Amino acid sequence: MPYPDEFEGFMINELGKYKDFKRQTFKPKVFGDNDVDIKIECCGVCGSDLHTVTGGWGDAPTPICVGHEVVGKAVKVGPKVKDVKVGDRVGVGAQIWSCLKCQQCKTDNENYCPNMVDTYGSPYPKEADPDETLSQGGYSSHIRAHEYFVFPIPDAIPSHLAAPMLCAGLTVWSPLVRAGTGPGKKVAIVGLGGLGHFAVLWGNALGAEVTVISHSPGKEADARSLGAKHFVVSSAKGWAQPLAFTYDLVLNTADATDRFPLGDYLSILKVGCRFHQVGLPDNPLQNVTPQLFMSNGSSIGASHIGSRPECLGMLRLAAEKKVKPLVETLPVGEKGCGEAMERLARNDVRYRFTLVDYDKAFGS
């Protein structure tokens, strides 16, 4: 049964066999009054996809179709949908549903709704789908999403560049804007990978003075081309000492915090400022004590993607400032999805992948 009864996707059937994608069909949730069906044009490849299919973040249901940086055309809209019409070019990020009733949802914090549904690997609650269908992601022909989590893509942003903004971009945009990043602020970005390169782009576009902290000296040219004013090599002895009490925010995009000398990174914060995590290590942090934070009243925190208003603001700024992330494209398919995971696992990407050629894979 083809669309609309079933969608097709490239799926993983056993965690750990992270390159072994198979083309399969799956049933989407029951179509609701506020739902939008999107025929996918392209989908970004996120580190979350790799952590999920390797099992690095723990158990996940299988078979699973990952991918939560989706851009495509709306092909069906529910009768209560107000802001999307058939034919619109739209995107979906890492969240596909929330209750829209709780305190979090009513205060533009729906990304912290206790009943939220991730774009893949999450069962829908009965109020959204009586079958409690498992959500499936964007390495697929179509995706079905509640209109609140469907975002119009500005004409000025090509689809393959817009896609990685919807998770990677938003994940770093939200803590930057919530910290008041702008002119007069100094922000340090730890790590220059998929997340980090977006953080540099956004920090610069927002008007802050951006420093990149990396253990890889060879990334300095890229960091400066993206808008960083300063570059610090964290493998150099004593690197943190001249930077004491310098930054309004340290945004950590690396997923190796469990191996960091955390005290060094906390020491470069101004009084009362935050070391903020968006890179998520597979292992817990070790030897974190209150004493680490006492010398400057610093704190450590983390965040989860961002809200709809934040996503719309991010896309507006990207269009206005002509922000262009560094993106390599790969053809979607069993081979292309496997190659993306294999290269991502060995950090062979500069700095995001987007899967394309969906019409060739699934038909137009």
Side-chain angles (χ1 to χ4, degrees):
M1 292 185 295
Y3 176 84
D5 299 303
E6 290 185 335
F7 299 169
E8 283 188 282
F10 296 100
M11 308 182 78
I12 291 290
N13 289 282
E14 183 179 340
L15 298 186
K17 295 185 176 180
Y18 64 95
K19 296 178 283 187
D20 192 14
F21 286 84
K22 300 298 181 188
R23 183 172 180 151
Q24 296 168 219
T25 60
F26 60 89
K27 284 187 70 68
K29 72 175 287 290
V30 172
F31 191 83
D33 288 348
N34 294 98
D35 282 345
V36 177
D37 277 359
I38 300 162
K39 186 179 187 302
I40 298 176
E41 176 189 347
C42 60
C43 182
V45 176
C46 187
S48 304
D49 303 343
L50 179 65
H51 284 291
T52 298
V53 298
T54 60
W57 283 349
D59 199 22
T62 53
I64 191 166
C65 183
V66 295
H68 56 205
E69 297 178 336
V70 176
V71 175
K73 291 275 179 70
V75 293
K76 181 180 179 182
V77 299
K80 293 184 179 178
V81 172
K82 296 177 181 177
D83 297 324
V84 181
K85 62 182 184 301
V86 170
D88 286 353
R89 187 172 64 123
V90 292
V92 174
Q95 183 176 2
I96 208 161
W97 188 89
S98 75
C99 74
L100 299 178
K101 300 172 186 173
C102 68
Q103 182 65 23
Q104 291 71 242
C105 287
K106 290 179 177 179
T107 55
D108 293 334
N109 286 302
E110 70 279 355
N111 46 313
Y112 299 104
C113 175
N115 298 308
M116 68 165 291
V117 177
D118 295 323
T119 296
Y120 59 77
S122 291
Y124 277 92
K126 279 192 176 294
E127 67 177 287
D129 179 7
D131 298 332
E132 298 180 285
T133 304
L134 194 75
S135 62
Q136 301 286 2
Y139 297 8
S140 59
S141 61
H142 298 79
I143 195 164
R144 180 169 292 168
H146 189 285
E147 66 165 327
Y148 195 78
F149 301 96
V150 175
F151 311 115
I153 304 298
D155 292 341
I157 310 176
S159 295
H160 74 289
L161 300 184
M165 295 181 185
L166 297 171
C167 177
L170 183 59
T171 293
V172 294
W173 172 269
S174 177
L176 285 168
V177 295
R178 293 192 186 207
T181 300
K185 293 296 182 78
K186 293 183 177 181
V187 175
I189 308 301
V190 181
L192 192 69
L195 291 173
H197 104 287
F198 266 117
V200 177
L201 287 167
W202 299 144
N204 185 56
L206 289 164
E209 183 179 324
V210 178
T211 297
V212 168
I213 300 174
S214 173
H215 69 274
S216 304
K219 290 188 175 181
E220 181 171 1
D222 278 354
R224 293 190 183 277
S225 72
L226 292 164
K229 299 293 188 296
H230 314 283
F231 187 85
V232 176
V233 180
S234 58
S235 55
K237 187 176 181 180
W239 67 268
Q241 291 173 3
L243 300 174
F245 298 100
T246 296
Y247 295 104
D248 298 282
L249 175 70
V250 175
L251 182 59
N252 175 42
T253 69
D255 63 0
T257 327
D258 54 315
R259 304 190 296 276
F260 277 5
L262 188 58
D264 288 350
Y265 292 87
L266 295 174
S267 73
I268 66 177
L269 286 160
K270 292 179 181 178
V271 172
C273 290
R274 174 183 282 208
F275 177 88
H276 192 93
Q277 294 261 131
V278 288
L280 303 178
D282 288 348
N283 299 310
L285 305 188
Q286 303 294 325
N287 302 317
V288 178
T289 65
Q291 287 88 335
L292 277 176
F293 307 94
M294 291 175 66
S295 64
N296 57 0
S298 59
S299 60
I300 187 169
S303 54
H304 180 248
I305 52 175
S307 68
R308 177 181 175 88
E310 287 169 340
C311 189
L312 296 176
M314 174 192 72
L315 293 170
R316 276 195 304 272
L317 186 80
E320 290 167 6
K321 300 269 188 174
K322 297 181 171 56
V323 173
K324 287 187 165 55
L326 300 178
V327 176
E328 180 180 344
T329 60
L330 294 170
V332 71
E334 292 178 356
K335 180 182 176 183
C337 294
E339 180 184 346
M341 292 298 105
E342 189 270 331
R343 288 182 58 189
L344 193 57
R346 55 185 169 91
N347 290 318
D348 179 22
V349 54
R350 184 176 169 269
Y351 284 95
R352 300 295 288 191
F353 289 128
T354 298
L355 297 169
V356 297
D357 295 342
Y358 273 62
D359 279 353
K360 291 180 182 178
F362 297 112
S364 55

